[in-house]
Amino acid sequence: MTQIIQPGEIRPPAQEAPFVRSADRKQVFRRRADRLLQLAAGHPLEPFLMFMSSLAGAQQDALDAIPESSADLAMGLAEHRKRGEPVYPVTDTPLDPLWHQALHSILAAILDSSPEPTRKVIRGLQEMPADELDTLARNLLVGETAMADPAKAPLLAAALQVYRTHLATSLPLEEFGSIRSEQEHHPGNCPVCGSRPDVGIVHAAGPESGLRYLHCSMCESEWHLVRVKCSNCEATTGLSYLGLEGEDGSVKAESCTECNTYLKLLYREKNHELDPVADDLASLALDLLMAEENVLRNGSSLFFIPGEESSSAN
Ligand SMILES: [Zn+2]
Ligand SMILES: [Zn+2]
């Protein structure tokens, strides 16, 4: 079959570049915590980024406490794969008590270092019955962030991310290798869990170098999407790229005139340390700029519920 190079694609995907990349479960949240700390210094959102750093550290500890082998791999995996559906769909995978374990571990870890208003929220969640926690979790999992309490959402999302990352990284590697043929799957949804991406990453090392992957906001998996293609409506024309003046160009908004949405792209060739969640949060000014242009954000951010943090960010 002839490979057609998409406009803007630096080179066709190398044979060995995988369609889906799985997170490094030993490091993913620890690296994020370090990156957030680095970004926080002198940043207008310093206290928020510092808090997110301790939250990411607590996420790594919670993930480390879950045995790798405990994911139920028999859980309809082959069934879903056959139908070209996400492997662990967020919408119909039962919530496991493991997510409560992750939540309580995270809450206990950040309680002492949190400011008083956050401590109040933490104590409220610590006392909440499991079924109420599950209801809040389900709303977040299906993307009902509008219904979420902005004070509780980041804490719940942090625990769900740990649980979903645990599931995704417990998949046998050969399963990831075979998640390749679902080219018909909508690029706006994670092939592993069906969630929306938060940002795209243009890699700068290994077989993925020069390729764009979308990063899952929920399970930390990444999937390949050719460059210069809208991840929302798949348009390949009418795209433009906007960065913040005075910045190094490592974060840009890819905006689409067809559907009037944008997705942030992180360019690792400019900075190898860019992290999808940390650098998304630290570049909130770019979201505000896009909001001024009336372009809607495509994809979700679990840690930023619009309307709340934007007011504190002035
Ligand atoms: Zn996912
Ligand atoms: Zn579009």
Side-chain angles (χ1 to χ4, degrees), residues 190 192-195 216 219 221:
C190 170
V192 179
C193 78
S195 298
C216 179
C219 79
S221 303

Side-chain angles (χ1 to χ4, degrees), residues 22-219:
S22 133
D24 176 357
R25 87 181 258 153
K26 302 259 180 280
Q27 300 278 346
V28 58
F29 298 112
R30 185 79 57 221
R31 285 208 192 108
R32 182 161 305 154
D34 293 347
R35 178 65 180 156
L36 281 159
L37 212 55
Q38 198 181 35
L39 288 164
H43 194 284
L45 297 175
E46 184 166 345
F48 173 61
L49 297 176
M50 293 286 282
F51 171 74
M52 291 307 295
S53 175
S54 46
L55 190 60
Q59 281 181 291
Q60 187 68 55
D61 292 340
L63 183 56
D64 289 346
I66 302 176
E68 222 165 308
S69 57
S70 69
D72 184 3
L73 293 172
M75 194 166 62
L77 188 144
E79 291 278 293
H80 287 294
R81 294 274 299 102
K82 241 186 283 161
R83 296 197 297 262
E85 290 168 0
V87 184
Y88 290 132
V90 282
T91 43
D92 66 355
T93 308
L95 276 166
D96 189 287
L98 274 177
W99 100 268
H100 296 143
Q101 179 192 315
L103 177 68
H104 288 293
S105 156
I106 290 167
L107 296 176
I110 60 164
L111 179 67
D112 288 344
S113 60
S114 296
E116 189 45 40
T118 311
R119 270 190 232 180
K120 228 169 130 185
V121 178
I122 292 173
R123 289 194 205 99
L125 287 172
Q126 283 174 324
E127 285 157 18
M128 193 175 277
D131 57 332
E132 281 180 44
L133 288 175
D134 283 353
T135 305
L136 295 179
R138 279 184 205 291
N139 289 340
L140 276 182
L141 283 170
V142 298
E144 292 289 344
T145 46
M147 286 164 65
D149 173 349
K152 292 192 187 90
L155 304 169
L156 297 165
L160 289 168
Q161 243 184 6
V162 167
Y163 170 56
R164 302 302 312 194
T165 302
H166 158 65
L167 286 182
T169 55
S170 297
L171 277 175
L173 273 181
E174 50 287 9
E175 272 303 326
F176 273 101
S178 69
I179 306 178
R180 161 96 229 174
S181 53
E182 276 74 61
Q183 299 291 8
E184 70 275 12
H185 103 274
H186 189 269
N189 295 101
C190 170
V192 179
C193 78
S195 298
R196 311 285 306 281
D198 42 18
V199 297
I201 303 167
V202 179
H203 286 274
E208 298 93 343
S209 185
L211 303 181
R212 183 255 295 265
Y213 283 74
L214 303 186
H215 174 263
C216 179
S217 57
M218 193 54 83
C219 79

